[in-house]
Amino acid sequence: MIPISDNIRCRSKPIINYWLIGINLAVFLWELKLEFSGQLGYFVNSWGVIPAQISGAVTNALFFNSAAWIVVVWRTFTLFFGIFLHGSFSQILGNLLFLWVFGKTVENILGHGRYLGFYLAAGAIAGVIQILAEPGLAVPLIGANGAIAAILGAYMMKFPKAKIDTVLPLIILYIPIQLPAFFYIFWWFVQQLFYGIGSLNIPPVGVNQSGVVFLGQVVGLLIGGAFIRLKR
């Protein structure tokens, strides 16, 4: 089931949404280039969210070496940069598809500046929760999943009865149908099971190899719903 568009009319062009989609695509193309040159593992392990490194740096800064705050600041930046990294073709395509369909409407609700802050903050908070849940994890956590889940949560809270134009591919036939927006909360989590398809070669241990990733997405969903609720 492929969402195409919704029936909510936007008053202005979703400029920030277009930029987010473009930046995500550009970074992924850069990842492909690095994979061909054998440098992708170093790049992702430097700029992805690695809970063990962040929690270790915070511990050193608090109890042993104040100079470690420099490392904390650098690794904290990965909470934002890691949102724009993706580990597979299915992950980038799935995230950008949901961003295209649901993000433009949420941007129309919040306004351009607030929408950008909402996107970045939701992704970063989801990363913090993942670190707290599994501080010893040495595998990079990357992707916009937490931010996209927040957008989905905000959309569902604001427009629970909206109709989503959807394409249902059946071998060589593509059947257009409409589904209620609420259905896509369920479908969002189902499609996470397929994000390993078309994985990039990211040594030494790959990325997102932990159930804590799902926790970050649940947190993102709750953040989006709560933010729109409070905004009312």
Side-chain angles (χ1 to χ4, degrees):
M1 289 165 288
I2 304 173
I4 302 299
S5 64
D6 62 6
N7 61 350
I8 307 299
R9 180 168 296 183
C10 295
R11 298 187 302 271
S12 61
K13 288 186 178 180
I15 302 299
I16 299 300
N17 210 51
Y18 292 156
W19 272 102
L20 289 174
I21 291 172
I23 293 172
N24 275 285
L25 283 174
V27 172
F28 190 73
L29 291 175
W30 180 253
E31 288 183 67
L32 293 178
K33 179 181 181 297
L34 292 177
E35 184 182 26
F36 289 134
S37 63
Q39 299 175 310
L40 182 58
Y42 174 79
F43 179 73
V44 171
N45 281 273
S46 296
W47 296 105
V49 177
I50 303 179
Q53 291 186 0
I54 295 178
S55 59
V58 171
T59 300
N60 285 333
L62 289 175
F63 300 105
F64 303 107
N65 185 2
S66 59
W69 282 112
I70 298 175
V71 180
V72 172
V73 172
W74 169 47
R75 297 310 303 182
T76 299
F77 180 71
T78 65
L79 289 169
F80 298 97
F81 193 84
I83 301 173
F84 298 95
L85 297 174
H86 290 82
S88 69
F89 284 94
S90 54
Q91 187 185 26
I92 183 73
L93 291 176
N95 280 347
L96 294 191
L97 183 61
F98 272 73
L99 184 58
W100 171 265
V101 174
F102 298 100
K104 58 183 176 58
T105 304
V106 176
E107 181 177 352
N108 186 62
I109 299 170
L110 299 180
H112 305 310
R114 188 179 294 181
Y115 175 70
L116 177 60
F118 170 75
Y119 182 91
L120 295 175
I125 293 172
V128 170
I129 296 300
Q130 291 170 332
I131 294 169
L132 294 176
E134 201 166 339
L137 183 66
V139 178
L141 301 174
I142 61 175
N145 302 48
I148 305 299
I151 289 173
L152 190 58
Y155 188 101
M156 298 309 159
M157 181 62 69
K158 188 71 174 180
F159 305 107
K161 297 181 180 180
K163 298 296 182 182
I164 308 300
D165 294 326
T166 304
V167 172
L168 179 62
L170 294 173
I171 306 178
I172 60 173
L173 297 177
Y174 286 82
I175 303 174
I177 58 176
Q178 275 196 338
L179 293 173
F182 189 81
F183 170 82
Y184 275 96
I185 290 181
F186 167 76
W187 181 240
W188 165 254
F189 285 97
V190 169
Q191 77 166 14
Q192 309 302 304
L193 301 175
F194 303 96
Y195 272 179
I197 298 175
S199 294
L200 303 182
N201 180 25
I202 305 176
V205 290
V207 295
N208 298 338
Q209 297 176 3
S210 174
V212 74
V213 174
F214 284 92
L215 175 61
Q217 293 161 6
V218 172
V219 169
L221 196 70
L222 295 175
I223 289 172
F227 183 81
I228 289 296
R229 184 89 175 181
L230 293 173
K231 184 178 179 295
R232 289 178 180 177

